Amino acid sequence: MTAGAERFRALHRGRAPEDPLVLPGPWDAASARAFAEAGFPALATPSAGVAASLGYADGRTPAGEMFAAVARIARAVDVPVSADVEGGYGLAPKELVERLLEAGAVGCNLEDSADGVLKDPAEHAEWLAGVRAAAGGDLFVNARVDTFVRGVDDPGAAIGRAAAYVAAGADCVYPIGAPAAVLPLLRAGIQGPLNVLARPGEGPSPAELGGLGATRVTFGPGLQRYADAAVREVAARLAR
């Protein structure tokens, strides 16, 4: 197990309900440095935010460019970096793990839908088990559960998928888009760390999400979009 991965894994342990692990999402080296210098103990890249910074639509970034962007971010800071690598870009588990480790990542997000359609949970769990076997303890695997964003509102569906992914070796599960009202139910039904999405400037705060069951809080591309809006406002003023 690498020191970076163990350092990152340890950040998820023993957290008080009102003190979830808050992981800002850098989209480039400059934003990564800003978050690290502000005192955050680790970072988690958002694939959509990185895509926007590279001029791509969400889900359209070539694998090579995504891994290169992650590498630039990881090199820029001395805190652990987890990387959102979408559905794994069609790579076999061994190659995916090798490329993540080469980029300097200590963890990864892996989603369970493709082209807007949920994957078969048993098949996805088998693939996650391959990632776990290839990584050993060198990567913290965050298994994203896409039921809520794919129109399946039943918390039981998310809990069932989460159980399969934890059994396959996932370190954490991420029911993205889960309403705050169902978080206590998800917390009760899911073993291990629970990742919850926060929206900058709206909705429950990270501390409130922690009280509802979140072990860790991420922001998806929200921070990149917030920064983009600020730049556009400055640009509009300059153009007057």
Side-chain angles (χ1 to χ4, degrees):
M1 183 182 299
T2 64
E6 176 53 28
R7 179 182 171 191
F8 186 59
R9 190 170 277 109
L11 290 171
H12 295 76
R13 300 185 187 126
R15 305 205 69 90
E18 69 280 1
D19 183 34
L21 175 61
V22 178
L23 299 174
W27 53 95
D28 60 13
S31 59
R33 284 181 176 150
F35 293 134
E37 289 170 4
F40 290 98
L43 307 174
T45 70
S47 61
V50 172
S53 75
L54 297 174
Y56 293 102
D58 185 19
R60 300 301 180 191
T61 309
E65 293 197 44
M66 183 63 76
F67 287 114
V70 170
R72 288 191 292 271
I73 289 168
R75 283 198 304 268
V77 295
D78 60 3
V79 299
V81 173
S82 182
D84 181 348
V85 288
E86 303 178 313
Y89 306 112
L91 301 174
K94 184 175 184 293
E95 184 178 358
L96 176 62
V97 168
E98 288 173 350
R99 296 188 72 171
L100 282 163
L101 294 177
E102 287 171 359
V106 301
C108 59
N109 270 20
L110 295 168
E111 59 196 51
D112 69 346
S113 66
D115 299 320
V117 178
L118 289 165
K119 297 178 181 178
D120 178 87
E123 292 178 1
H124 187 62
E126 183 178 359
W127 183 75
L128 286 174
V131 174
R132 173 83 286 151
D138 290 342
L139 285 176
F140 185 97
V141 177
N142 187 35
R144 204 177 91 174
V145 179
D146 286 1
T147 51
F148 292 101
V149 295
R150 301 304 176 209
V152 180
D153 296 329
D154 177 12
I159 290 171
R161 284 175 176 263
Y165 303 159
V166 170
D171 297 285
C172 182
V173 293
Y174 177 19
I176 186 172
V182 307
L183 292 180
L185 180 61
L186 295 177
R187 174 68 285 167
I190 293 174
Q191 294 184 352
L194 180 66
N195 188 147
V196 175
L197 176 70
R199 303 184 187 282
E202 60 181 88
S205 69
E208 289 169 332
L209 291 173
L212 293 171
T215 309
R216 76 183 217 179
V217 174
T218 54
F219 301 89
L223 297 171
Q224 183 274 327
R225 290 172 180 169
Y226 188 89
D228 182 70
V231 171
R232 290 176 182 277
E233 182 178 346
V234 171
R237 288 203 303 266
L238 292 173
R240 289 173 187 161

